[in-house]
Amino acid sequence: MDVIGHGVDMIEVARIARMVERHGHRFLERVYTPSEQAYFKDKKRIFEHMAARFAAKEAVLKALGTGWSGGIGWTDVEVIHEPSGRPRIELHGAAAGEARERGISSVLISLSHVDKTALASAIALG
Ligand SMILES: CC(C)(COP(=O)(O)OP(=O)(O)OC[C@H]1O[C@@H](n2cnc3c(N)ncnc32)[C@H](O)[C@@H]1OP(=O)(O)O)[C@@H](O)C(=O)NCCC(=O)NCCS
């Protein structure tokens, strides 16, 4: 396995809270998959987890080297939550296609968040 790309992203938690207040359900549906939304349900610091996943999606796009081009949507990059708590990336739709074209077979992700900031680092392997 070779490292093909690396991306990081950092985001203010308050930015996500504002988006949810302004656009509510529409924002959540556009950005997060049903399984990501289910993960938020019982969380006390819900906006931190949302912000971390928002950062994860942007970090993955950087690792793929595409940016938000070629019709990639937010839900094409999904953060899966393993029983251990470890996050894992699944790519769908246009994001999966772009990854295949670049010879990327998997993307490692790591998340971190505090009250004001969330951060994600993604490494594309292939
Ligand atoms: C993983 C761990 C080091 C996180 O460190 P932290 O400084 O508390 O928190 P951070 O904000 O830096 O990281 C949180 C993120 O770590 C990630 N994470 C959690 N468990 C993980 C694991 N086993 N391996 C890799 N990443 C993990 C998650 O993505 C989490 O964010 P999310 O809940 O939004 O998905 C710590 O929670 C830990 O040791 N967990 C092991 C399981 C555990 O003890 N669970 C009880 C928690 S109350």
Side-chain angles (χ1 to χ4, degrees):
M1 280 278 187
D2 293 321
V3 172
I4 297 185
H6 182 207
V8 294
D9 196 70
M10 192 166 70
I11 182 173
E12 274 183 272
V13 173
R15 187 177 148 210
I16 295 300
R18 280 198 301 273
M19 297 289 268
V20 174
E21 276 154 23
R22 268 185 217 155
H23 306 291
H25 189 65
R26 256 181 49 223
F27 170 76
L28 295 176
E29 286 290 305
R30 184 165 159 249
V31 174
Y32 302 104
T33 65
S35 121
E36 288 170 333
Q37 291 184 48
Y39 181 69
F40 303 141
K41 283 251 157 69
D42 57 345
K43 296 290 182 232
K44 285 197 194 114
R45 298 169 169 270
I46 185 166
F47 295 125
E48 285 187 29
H49 299 282
M50 284 182 183
R53 277 150 186 76
F54 195 95
K57 292 163 191 273
E58 300 215 305
V60 168
L61 269 286
K62 291 177 187 175
L64 296 183
T66 57
W68 293 105
S69 62
I72 297 178
W74 289 98
T75 52
D76 285 350
V77 179
E78 179 171 36
V79 179
I80 305 285
H81 181 73
E82 291 188 348
S84 67
R86 181 182 175 180
R88 178 167 59 78
I89 293 295
E90 270 187 20
L91 299 177
H92 310 286
E98 293 282 352
R100 261 195 310 275
E101 272 180 25
R102 288 168 167 75
I104 294 166
S105 54
S106 62
V107 181
L108 298 175
I109 190 80
S110 186
L111 310 180
S112 186
H113 42 84
V114 289
D115 58 343
K116 288 198 166 70
T117 312
L119 180 141
S121 167
I123 296 173
L125 300 174

